């Protein structure tokens, strides 16, 4: 077994029910209060059975399912829960890919053998440990291909004819190597990772099972659905050579500076910001690299934070440039309370951006522009307009001999 | 001797700075200023803080001046000089010569 799929079906509902067990078995709609002009972002199977679907308006959902419990969308909570589940899985597998919130794929090649366990036992223990630590109804599937593992786990979530050892619903399943095509054959096309429009068209064609897709000529699937049709046909036939693509952890560098005294003045905030930027850009991780995004914040006396986000048009490796851009944001701030600290977080760290240098250095180029402008001014006025002071006889005891004005450019 | 004070220009647009400006001064018998016309009226000189004399360039147009650093009633301080060659009084802020430079050949003359 090479791959496992871990899913928490109806993730948003599962998290809500864990927080409030009284919601179990009741229709639940997530997205906000029904009087709000918003859409359903998630709903429980009970609500779905009443006709509610993600994407419809909350008012329509209320009309279809008056007994539903409407919950606000706690996006940050869901994100945190999904991150926690992924972090727990990363402790158990070297390669983890997040397919969605509460939906993860991971490599398990060699791990059961390492623990001296059979694949089924290993998978069951993996599922139990994740479910135990998160308190969520975790399902697990394993197979020699990513899609077979995903399809097996999705089938568990859909409750499709896979009975457990004790007659109850199974919560983990491993597909026997070499029998993937046979296993997939009776699964619904719903498990195919394709666009909703293609699912709809498959239904219109009367294609409900993967066996039907597998039985079609490849050319027919390609003709109807293009590359997605070819991919669906290959998956339905148990052909899947895809590999996991673990998310790259983004490097972020954070520095915070305590202000010597509670401050509201922009000068103090800017001074602290300058120090924080200098420290952050001076960090070893950032050396020789450029930054696309700076998040700035001020920690206030009332324990709240005011933050601003800067996205540079071109990545910069210069803290002075970052401060220059930040300055206008800070100057426009009206803090509700004195700031105790200021901090910055650098993100979008990338290779240093290449700039086309001028043939002459900027100083000389600017000097030449200045010379040209002054020459033009003199020509227009007919006599010198700009002078420079030169010391003529600084040693002279006669004051008017010491310095003189010389026409610029002469 | 000071002539054409305040006149602009010189070779290639060279204009000396700190040129003397003519001034109406009432002097006493000792040649010291006791009232100076300043901002439209004569103001009494209350203190003469310093006095020094410069004699120079006797080989071409001789310069001979007596400078006074004075304080007027009201506390205003001015530096004025009396041109001993051509006569007349002039206002001229004074800056001592710097020690960083010296006339061409100065070092050779010392040797």
């Amino acid at each position: 077994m090479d791959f496992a799929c871990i899913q928490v079906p109806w993730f948003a509902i599962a998290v809500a029910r864990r927080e409030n067990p009284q919601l179990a078995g009741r229709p639940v709609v997530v997205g906000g209060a029904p009087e709000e002009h918003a859409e359903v972002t998630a709903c429980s199977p009970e609500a779905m059975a009443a006709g509610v679907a993600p994407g419809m308006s909350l008012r329509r959902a209320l009309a279809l399912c008056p007994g539903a419990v409407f919950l606000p969308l706690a996006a940050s909570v869901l994100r945190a829960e999904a991150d926690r589940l992924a972090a727990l899985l990363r402790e158990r597998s070297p390669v983890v890919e997040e397919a969605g919130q509460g939906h993860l794929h991971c490599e398990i090649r060699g791990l059961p053998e390492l623990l001296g366990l059979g694949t089924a036992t290993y998978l069951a223990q993996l599922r139990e440990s994740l479910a135990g630590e998160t308190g969520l109804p975790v399902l697990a599937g394993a197979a020699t291909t990513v899609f077979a593992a995903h399809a097996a786990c999705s089938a568990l979530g859909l409750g499709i004819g896979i009975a457990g050892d004790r007659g109850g619903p199974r919560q983990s399943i491993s597909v026997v190597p070499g029998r993937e095509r046979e296993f997939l054959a009776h699964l619904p096309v719903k498990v195919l990772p394709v666009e909703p429009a293609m699912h709809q068209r498959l239904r219109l064609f009367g294609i409900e099972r993967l066996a039907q897709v597998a039985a079609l000529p490849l050319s027919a699937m390609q003709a109807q659905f293009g590359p997605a049709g070819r991919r669906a046909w290959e998956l339905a036939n148990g052909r899947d050579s895809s590999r996991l693509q673990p998310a790259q952890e983004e490097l972020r560098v954070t520095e915070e500076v305590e202000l010597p005294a509670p401050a509201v003045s922009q000068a103090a905030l800017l001074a602290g910001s300058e120090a924080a930027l200098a420290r952050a850009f001076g960090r070893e991780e950032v050396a020789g690299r450029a930054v696309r995004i700076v998040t700035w914040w001020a920690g206030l006396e009332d324990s709240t934070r005011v933050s601003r986000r800067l996205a540079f048009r071109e990545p910069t490796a210069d803290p002075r440039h970052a401060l220059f851009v930040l300055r206008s944001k800070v100057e426009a701030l009206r803090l509700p309370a004195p700031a105790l600290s200021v901090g910055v977080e650098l993100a979008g760290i990338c290779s240093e951006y290449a700039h086309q240098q001028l043939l002459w250095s900027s100083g000389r180029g600017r000097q030449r522009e200045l010379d040209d402008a002054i020459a033009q001014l003199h020509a227009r006025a007919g006599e010198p307009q700009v002078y420079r002071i030169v010391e003529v006889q600084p040693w002279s005891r006669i004051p008017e001999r010491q310095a003189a004005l010389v026409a610029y450019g002469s | 001797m000071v002539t054409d004070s305040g006149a602009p220009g010189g070779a290639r647009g060279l204009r000396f700075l700190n040129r003397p400006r003519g001034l109406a001064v009432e002097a006493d018998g000792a040649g010291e200023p006791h009232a100076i016309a300043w901002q439209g009226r004569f103001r009494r000189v209350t203190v003469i803080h310093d006095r020094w004399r410069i004699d120079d360039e006797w080989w071409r147009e001789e310069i001979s001046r007596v400078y006074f650093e004075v304080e007027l009633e009201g506390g205003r301080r001015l530096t004025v000089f009396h041109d001993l060659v051509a006569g007349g009084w002039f206002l001229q802020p004074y800056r001592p010569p710097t020690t960083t430079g010296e006339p061409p050949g100065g070092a050779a003359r010392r040797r």
Side-chain angles (χ1 to χ4, degrees):
Chain A
M1 269 332 139
D2 292 344
F3 302 102
C5 175
I6 303 294
Q7 289 188 35
V8 178
W10 317 97
F11 182 68
I13 307 300
V15 172
R17 284 179 171 161
R18 186 193 62 184
E19 301 303 315
N20 185 1
Q22 292 179 336
L23 295 174
R26 296 183 62 185
V28 178
V29 175
V30 176
E35 63 270 18
E36 290 179 23
H37 289 283
E39 292 181 347
V40 175
T41 52
C43 58
S44 67
E46 296 82 1
M48 204 169 255
V52 180
M56 72 169 46
S57 72
L58 291 167
R59 289 186 180 189
R60 172 94 178 124
L62 179 66
L64 290 168
C65 190
V69 177
F70 287 79
L71 299 175
L73 173 65
S76 59
V77 173
L78 295 178
R79 184 67 259 167
E81 284 297 329
D83 288 346
R84 183 162 168 246
L85 182 64
L88 289 171
L89 192 56
R90 281 192 197 98
E91 291 173 6
R92 293 158 170 84
S93 167
V95 183
V96 175
E97 174 190 78
E98 186 171 24
Q101 287 192 344
H103 183 178
L104 302 155
H105 297 151
C106 66
E107 270 199 24
I108 58 167
R109 187 183 303 146
L111 295 180
E113 292 81 0
L114 195 67
L115 298 170
L117 300 171
T119 303
T121 309
Y122 168 80
L123 195 65
Q125 289 187 0
L126 175 66
R127 190 210 71 76
E128 279 170 22
S129 67
L130 293 172
E133 290 193 47
T134 60
L136 295 170
V138 177
L139 301 176
T144 51
T145 66
V146 178
F147 175 67
H150 163 80
C153 195
S154 300
L156 289 178
L158 295 168
I160 299 166
I162 303 171
D165 298 336
R166 295 170 193 166
R170 285 181 73 159
Q171 294 173 313
S172 64
I173 184 172
S174 49
V175 181
V176 179
R179 298 182 66 180
E180 291 84 4
R181 192 167 184 270
E182 187 184 334
F183 173 81
L184 294 170
H186 73 283
L187 296 184
V189 291
K190 199 184 276 187
V191 300
L192 283 171
V194 294
E195 295 293 317
M198 184 170 165
H199 280 301
Q200 197 173 355
R201 289 185 67 202
L202 285 169
R203 273 202 305 277
L204 290 172
F205 281 120
I207 299 171
E208 293 180 353
R209 302 281 161 189
L210 289 181
Q212 292 172 273
V213 176
L216 289 168
L218 172 60
S219 57
M221 284 293 287
Q222 268 187 311
Q224 280 297 329
F225 303 107
R230 181 188 181 92
R231 174 82 177 136
W233 185 87
E234 288 176 343
L235 293 176
N237 280 284
R239 299 180 193 174
D240 180 20
S241 58
S242 58
R243 288 286 172 266
L244 300 184
Q245 296 178 334
Q248 298 290 321
E249 278 200 40
E250 191 189 4
L251 174 64
R252 288 172 185 266
V253 170
T254 303
E255 285 289 347
E256 189 164 16
V257 172
E258 298 286 332
L259 298 175
V264 289
S265 77
Q266 290 155 358
L269 293 177
L270 285 170
S273 306
E274 186 176 7
L277 282 169
R279 276 195 210 167
F281 274 91
R283 288 264 293 267
E284 197 177 333
E285 307 94 293
V286 191
R289 305 176 77 181
V291 171
R292 286 182 188 279
I293 297 165
V294 172
T295 305
W296 174 94
W297 71 84
L300 306 183
E301 209 171 37
D302 59 3
S303 303
T304 60
R305 261 189 180 192
V306 172
S307 66
R308 293 290 183 271
R309 187 172 181 270
L310 314 174
F312 301 112
R313 194 171 52 185
E314 291 179 0
T316 182
D318 186 356
R320 288 170 302 176
H321 178 236
L323 183 68
F324 178 78
V325 179
L326 177 65
R327 183 180 295 272
S328 60
K329 299 246 182 194
V330 173
E331 284 176 350
L333 268 180
R334 293 289 175 270
L335 294 181
L340 301 177
S341 64
V342 291
V344 293
E345 181 187 75
L346 310 184
I349 297 170
C350 58
S351 299
E352 197 156 14
Y353 201 75
H355 290 276
Q356 176 69 51
Q357 286 289 340
L358 296 172
L359 184 58
W360 289 276
S361 69
S362 59
R364 283 188 184 179
R366 205 171 297 165
Q367 184 67 46
R368 196 178 53 175
E369 287 175 11
L370 185 65
D371 291 347
D372 289 345
I374 291 171
Q376 203 161 347
L377 190 66
H378 289 181
R380 188 183 297 173
E383 58 183 27
Q385 299 292 305
V386 181
Y387 293 83
R388 56 195 168 91
I389 297 172
V390 293
E391 285 197 324
V392 183
Q393 297 174 6
W395 60 85
S396 177
R397 295 188 303 153
I398 304 165
E400 69 267 36
R401 298 280 193 274
Q402 292 172 344
L405 289 175
V406 182
Y408 200 89
S410 62
Chain B
M1 172 182 161
V2 176
T3 56
D4 191 24
S5 63
R12 295 171 62 214
L14 191 74
R15 294 168 62 180
F16 282 101
L17 289 169
N18 198 15
R19 298 168 70 89
R21 282 166 43 199
L23 201 66
V25 174
E26 288 179 4
D28 58 18
E32 291 183 345
H34 69 84
I36 295 175
W38 184 252
Q39 292 183 335
R41 69 180 179 91
F42 273 91
R43 296 172 195 268
R44 193 168 52 86
V45 173
T46 54
V47 185
I48 295 178
H49 289 284
D50 202 359
R51 171 192 173 130
W52 66 98
R53 177 166 175 153
I54 292 175
D55 294 290
D56 210 338
E57 297 189 359
W58 50 265
W59 60 94
R60 45 177 202 193
E61 288 187 26
E62 185 182 6
I63 289 176
S64 186
R65 301 172 178 173
V66 182
Y67 280 84
F68 298 91
E69 188 182 342
V70 302
E71 186 173 326
L72 304 181
E73 56 183 344
R76 179 83 190 192
R77 274 195 178 203
L78 300 174
T79 301
V80 298
F81 71 83
H82 183 212
D83 188 341
L84 301 178
V85 177
W89 287 84
F90 297 86
L91 174 72
Q92 186 179 49
Y94 188 81
R95 190 183 70 164
T98 62
T99 55
T100 54
E102 59 181 305
R109 279 202 299 276
R110 277 204 301 277
R111 281 197 300 271

